[in-house]
Amino acid sequence: MAESKDSEPLDTTGLPVGVVGAGTMGTGVAQCFAAAGHPVVVVDPDPAARAAGPERLRAGVRAARLLRRSAVGPVEERVTWAEKPSALSGVGFVVECGPERLPVKEEVLRELDRVCPPEAAFASCTSAIPIARLGSFTARPSRVIGTHFMNPAPLKDTVEVIRSPHTSDGTLALTVGLLAGLGKKAIVVGDGPGFVSNRVLMLTVNEAAAVVAAGTADADTVDRVFQDCFGHPTGPLRTADLIGLDTVIDTLVVLREHTGDERFTPTPLLARLVADGSLGRKTGRGFHPYPSPRAADRSRSEGAGSHV
C-alpha cells in the first residue's frame, strides 16, 4: 500500500507500478521506474506493441548507459508485459500513456478503476485533457493526477505534474515522492486544457507550420531562429517531429474542443503531412528528414522537450 492516509504517504521503495501503453512514452516511463528499483507491469492490448516493447526497452537502457544515466540492477528483468488491465491488480501506482483521445482514456480509466486496488493512484500522461475530466471516469478522483513526462522520458529530468481541484494532498505527495525517487523534479501546475506546456507549445507549433506554409521561411530557418535567437535547444518544428505530428494534431484537436479557440485548428500543412504519413522522426520524415532510424535515435538523444 502506498499511503495510509491522504496526508501521510508511506515509504514507496519497491512499490509495484503499472504502465498502460507499450509505445515510446509508455516504455520510456516503464524504464524510469524499473531503473529506480520498482517492479513494473506494462499493459497493452496490441500484440505488435507488446512484441516491440522489450527491444524498445533494451535500446533505451543501452542509450541511458551510454549517457551514464544510473540504473539499479537488471532493468529489463523488472518489467513484465501483459495484454489485459487485470494484470495490474497488485500495483499501487499506474501511469496511463494511451493515445490522446478522450474515449480511449475513458475506457482505460474505467477499467483501471475496476481492477486496481482501492488505494492505487492513477497518473495520466495526457498531453492536454484536463485531469478533472479524466478523474470523473473513476470512483477515486482524489487519486487521479497528471504526470506529463517529456520525451524521451529516461533522459528528461523534469515532469510537469498537474493537480486537479479534486486531487488530494496525499496523491500529490505520493507522485512527487515517486518522481524524486526516479531522479526527476516535479513542477506542479493547476488543471486546464494543455496545462502550461502544451497550451503554449501546440499553438507555437501550429503557427510555425503556418509560417512555413506562407513561404516566410522554411522549416530549418524557423527552428534556427528559435535556437540561435532564443537559445532553445531545438526549434518548434523539430520538437513537433519528435513528438509525432499525428500526436500534435490529436493534441490540437483536444485543445480546440476544450477551449473553443479556433487558433488550435491544425494548419493545412500539418494536416497534409500527417495524411501523407510524414509523422516525424518515427517515420523518417516530418517537417525535417531523418535518413535512418539510427539517425533519428541520435537526434532524440540530443533532447528536444516533448510529450507522448
Side-chain angles (χ1 to χ4, degrees), residues 43-209:
V43 172
D44 198 306
D46 182 359
R50 291 197 309 278
E55 178 52 38
R56 186 179 288 119
L57 177 63
R58 284 190 289 271
V61 170
R62 286 195 298 269
R65 287 172 177 160
L66 285 171
L67 293 169
R68 296 187 175 88
R69 297 282 175 140
S70 62
V72 181
V75 174
E76 296 107 305
E77 293 180 12
R78 293 201 178 98
V79 180
T80 58
W81 309 84
E83 176 185 0
K84 297 180 179 180
S86 57
L88 303 176
S89 61
V91 305
F93 192 81
V94 181
V95 183
E96 177 274 315
C97 299
E100 192 66 4
R101 300 184 184 101
L102 189 61
V104 174
K105 292 189 183 294
E106 177 178 358
E107 180 180 357
V108 167
L109 286 163
R110 290 192 187 280
E111 182 65 9
L112 290 176
D113 199 37
R114 187 181 71 81
V115 303
C116 291
E119 67 272 18
F122 302 155
S124 179
C125 199
T126 177
S127 301
I129 301 170
I131 302 305
R133 181 73 183 278
L134 297 177
S136 72
F137 302 139
T138 76
R140 59 183 91 187
S142 68
R143 294 183 182 273
V144 178
I145 195 166
T147 50
H148 186 201
F149 285 83
M150 305 295 147
N151 185 31
L155 304 183
K156 296 297 180 179
D157 296 329
T158 304
V159 177
E160 184 183 32
V161 173
I162 304 97
R163 181 180 190 174
S164 89
H166 309 294
T167 304
S168 70
D169 291 342
T171 299
L172 179 62
L174 170 66
T175 303
V176 171
L178 281 168
L179 291 173
L182 307 185
K184 297 187 185 298
K185 178 174 68 176
I187 297 181
V188 181
V189 303
D191 202 9
F195 327 121
V196 173
S197 58
N198 281 334
R199 182 68 179 260
V200 176
L201 175 61
M202 290 299 136
L203 190 58
T204 302
V205 168
N206 212 31
E207 288 299 310

